[in-house]
């Protein structure tokens, strides 16, 4: 017996219907009403609003990525501490890891261009 959408129990949507749903989720009604918003608010205010939202979006994305990297570094440090406490990792390995992090930090601090090692420098020392 078909339900209210016309599908039998266990039957799936067609790929075309799925693509329409995905398009609607990605694009949404916001992008479809953008021309009307530009018309109502004017070019200057609308373009300024979009630029402001783009900057805020970039900043929040950057902060999320940095927070994920910090959390990963903290988890790694805690794991190394646990392994060291259990005796499953040698002190030499822990010391070598810390020395490498310090050496990376020193090389970053002494470089002429601060953007040279931005991707390789540790976030937490």
């Amino acid at each position: 017996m078909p339900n209210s959408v016309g599908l039998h129990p266990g039957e799936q949507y067609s790929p075309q219907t799925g693509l329409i749903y995905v398009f609607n989720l990605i694009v949404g009604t916001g992008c479809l009403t953008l021309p009307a918003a530009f018309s109502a608010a004017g070019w200057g205010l609308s373009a300024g609003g979009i630029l402001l939202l783009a900057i805020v979006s970039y900043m929040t994305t950057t902060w999320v990525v940095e927070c994920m990297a910090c959390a990963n570094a903290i988890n790694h440090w805690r794991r190394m501490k646990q392994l060291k406490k259990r005796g499953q990792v040698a002190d030499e390995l822990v010391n070598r890891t810390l020395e490498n992090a310090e050496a990376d930090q020193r090389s970053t601090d002494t470089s002429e261009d601060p953007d040279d090692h931005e991707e390789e420098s540790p976030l937490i020392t």
Side-chain angles (χ1 to χ4, degrees):
M1 171 158 97
N3 57 16
S4 61
V5 221
L7 296 174
H8 297 288
E11 189 176 346
Q12 297 180 352
Y13 292 108
S14 69
Q16 292 82 10
T17 305
L19 286 174
I20 290 171
Y21 282 140
V22 169
F23 177 78
N24 186 29
L25 286 172
I26 292 172
V27 174
T29 57
C31 289
L32 299 176
T33 59
L34 204 55
F38 263 80
S39 173
W43 282 99
L45 184 61
S46 298
I50 288 179
L51 183 64
L52 177 70
L53 290 174
I55 291 169
V56 169
S57 178
Y58 174 77
M59 288 172 49
T60 56
T61 302
T62 304
W63 288 339
V64 167
V65 169
E66 286 182 14
C67 288
M68 289 172 62
C70 289
N72 189 25
I74 290 169
N75 283 337
H76 177 71
W77 177 76
R78 286 181 181 164
R79 181 73 177 144
M80 289 294 283
K81 193 174 175 182
Q82 275 182 340
L83 290 174
K84 183 180 176 184
K85 189 182 289 185
R86 292 182 195 162
Q88 294 176 344
V89 67
D91 289 339
E92 178 186 328
L93 178 62
V94 174
N95 292 336
R96 189 172 49 199
T97 303
L98 293 174
E99 288 170 5
N100 287 342
E102 289 173 3
D104 286 344
Q105 184 65 34
R106 280 192 303 267
S107 69
T108 302
D109 292 342
T110 59
S111 69
E112 299 87 31
D113 188 7
D115 294 332
D116 280 347
H117 301 285
E118 188 174 308
E119 295 292 325
E120 296 145 5
S121 64
L123 294 175
I124 297 177
T125 56

